[in-house]
Amino acid sequence: FLFFNYNLFVMVSSCSATAIAHPNIALIKYWGNRDDATHIPANSSISMNLGDLSTRTQVILDSDLENDQLILNNSPANDAAQLRVQQFLDYFRAKSGKKAYCRVISSNNFPTAAGIASSASAFAALTLAAAKVYQLELDQRELSRIARLGSGSACRSIPPGFVYWQAGNDHQSSYAESFAPPEYWDLVDCIAVIGDTPKTTSSIEGHRLAATSPLQKARIETAECRLNQCRNAILERNFSELAKVVELDTNLMHAVMITSQTPLLYWQPPTIAVMQQVLNWRSEKLSVFYTIDAGASVHVICLQKDSEEVIKKLKLIEGVRMVIPSGVGGAAHLVES
Ligand code: DP6
């Protein structure tokens, strides 16, 4: 009996793997693809991982299944999400030669309706756990390339800390790498959550629209300069330089969004109220800046020493539903199931 149990344990443990990954906030944005299918981006981007937020994903390889199954935050996922995961796992089946399907159980430790993109952490965690169960030995660069196939920004959630996603021009040359570890600079992202409806236009659709804006060309052509400024500001821990370049870059992305055909306007009145207050606080010498993704919520970034004050101030702004703070996070990693 003992012998049988031991075998069962070995069998089960070799067919299941669990990984944790953090979402990331882009400081220099990715908006628009050179290739939509493989998410080869129009420009390189820079991000930092958000260590206090995470997605935990278990993948169980099960030869009895007739399809992949996805459980998201304790409920079966909708058809679109199931299909996206199934197509992603097809890559691992093709690469490993193993045909079996998987049960994928994934949950986030942050509220789903908070407007924090979970696709980056979700696909980064899924990449690690799936590579393990399909027995593929992959280095961090290759894991990043594969995560990108699931969601562009997911490639930035594979390495730790402050990350540079080199756009490249094909699958091989497009991957993300860390250029400073999480403890390099104690920045805090205070996420001012605004609005509670799911965003009206997905980023998949948004990336397709980017090229319809007459401003996209100028944004892409000038990205290299901002990328250098941003990386240097982080490496020199120069907060005011970082503030300037990050706000310029997010405003450029939203200018592209607003001028796309059809236009995408993600901001709501409280979004602008937070932006204005951040500028006021900075003029009063508080070290703080904003950045905004494809949604109404505002990421307000400050130094750890000022985070309590920033959170308190943000909570007083009408329309801010809650503030979720996060420090800089590490790499995606496997954990015990
Ligand atoms: C505005 O990575 O979510 O957050 O590749 O279609 O999954 P897909 O898009 P996604 O796009 C992120 C867009 C952004 C900016 C950024 O994170 O760089």
Side-chain angles (χ1 to χ4, degrees):
F1 176 76
L2 261 180
F3 178 70
F4 172 77
N5 238 357
Y6 174 72
N7 273 337
L8 189 70
F9 171 73
V10 169
M11 193 189 86
V12 169
S13 68
S14 66
C15 293
S16 160
T18 302
I20 287 182
H22 305 295
N24 64 75
I25 178 66
L27 302 172
I28 299 295
K29 304 293 187 186
Y30 148 51
W31 196 244
N33 288 314
R34 289 175 68 162
D35 181 56
D36 283 326
T38 56
H39 304 134
I40 307 299
N43 64 282
S44 300
S45 54
I46 290 178
S47 61
M48 65 182 206
N49 286 345
L50 300 177
D52 293 277
L53 313 181
S54 55
T55 298
R56 184 189 175 95
T57 301
Q58 183 182 19
V59 177
I60 305 157
L61 197 71
D62 183 344
S63 44
D64 291 339
L65 287 176
E66 289 175 3
N67 253 317
D68 295 311
Q69 290 177 359
L70 173 62
I71 310 289
L72 262 185
N73 297 319
N74 298 319
S75 316
N78 64 33
D79 289 352
Q82 297 269 2
L83 183 67
R84 197 165 166 190
V85 163
Q86 171 128 4
Q87 286 171 345
F88 186 65
L89 291 175
D90 284 344
Y91 181 89
F92 291 85
R93 283 184 279 269
K95 209 163 159 114
S96 67
K98 293 188 204 309
K99 294 202 167 58
Y101 291 106
C102 297
R103 182 169 301 119
V104 177
I105 304 163
S106 188
S107 55
N108 300 324
N109 78 343
F110 50 93
T112 310
I116 301 163
S118 56
S119 64
S121 49
F123 279 101
L126 181 59
T127 301
L128 256 70
K132 181 79 179 166
V133 297
Y134 285 103
Q135 297 177 330
L136 298 171
E137 292 251 339
L138 307 168
D139 63 15
Q140 203 174 64
R141 246 183 217 185
E142 186 60 11
L143 290 165
S144 176
R145 289 186 190 102
I146 297 172
R148 190 198 71 240
L149 300 173
S151 170
S153 56
C155 75
R156 297 189 310 232
S157 283
I158 297 283
F162 297 89
V163 170
Y164 191 101
W165 172 11
Q166 165 187 302
N169 45 35
D170 58 10
H171 180 65
Q172 197 61 19
S173 56
S174 187
Y175 56 84
E177 273 183 337
S178 178
F179 64 93
E183 56 282 1
Y184 189 81
W185 200 5
D186 55 354
L187 297 179
V188 176
D189 181 3
C190 306
I191 307 166
V193 178
I194 292 164
D196 50 8
T197 47
K199 54 187 175 192
T200 40
T201 308
S202 71
S203 44
I204 298 179
E205 186 51 27
H207 288 297
R208 289 206 187 100
L209 290 175
T212 66
S213 163
L215 303 181
Q216 173 74 343
K217 190 166 174 276
R219 192 186 74 85
I220 301 299
E221 278 172 7
T222 54
E224 196 61 38
C225 175
R226 291 189 301 282
L227 286 156
N228 288 334
Q229 285 173 346
C230 180
R231 183 166 35 192
N232 290 339
I234 291 168
L235 290 175
E236 291 162 10
R237 300 189 187 88
N238 184 334
F239 196 94
S240 58
E241 282 302 309
L242 184 65
K244 264 195 281 180
V245 71
V246 171
E247 286 181 359
L248 170 62
D249 190 82
T250 196
N251 292 342
L252 283 167
M253 179 181 74
H254 284 272
V256 167
M257 291 165 160
I258 295 166
T259 52
S260 297
Q261 309 295 318
T262 51
L264 299 176
L265 179 51
Y266 290 107
W267 299 352
Q268 290 175 19
T271 311
I272 297 167
V274 172
M275 293 161 79
Q276 278 170 333
Q277 285 296 14
V278 166
L279 295 180
N280 290 342
W281 300 336
R282 202 157 70 242
S283 72
E284 293 158 9
K285 303 286 175 250
L286 183 61
S287 294
V288 64
F289 62 84
Y290 65 78
T291 181
I292 305 163
D293 279 344
S297 296
V298 186
H299 294 251
V300 178
I301 299 179
C302 63
L303 297 168
Q304 168 77 54
K305 69 173 177 60
D306 297 324
S307 60
E308 261 181 45
E309 184 184 350
V310 169
I311 293 166
K312 211 162 74 192
K313 284 174 179 289
L314 284 170
K315 283 184 176 163
L316 294 175
I317 299 175
E318 210 184 311
V320 172
R321 278 201 302 126
M322 60 178 139
V323 180
I324 302 174
S326 175
V328 188
H333 56 281
L334 289 166
V335 292
E336 291 294 315
S337 285

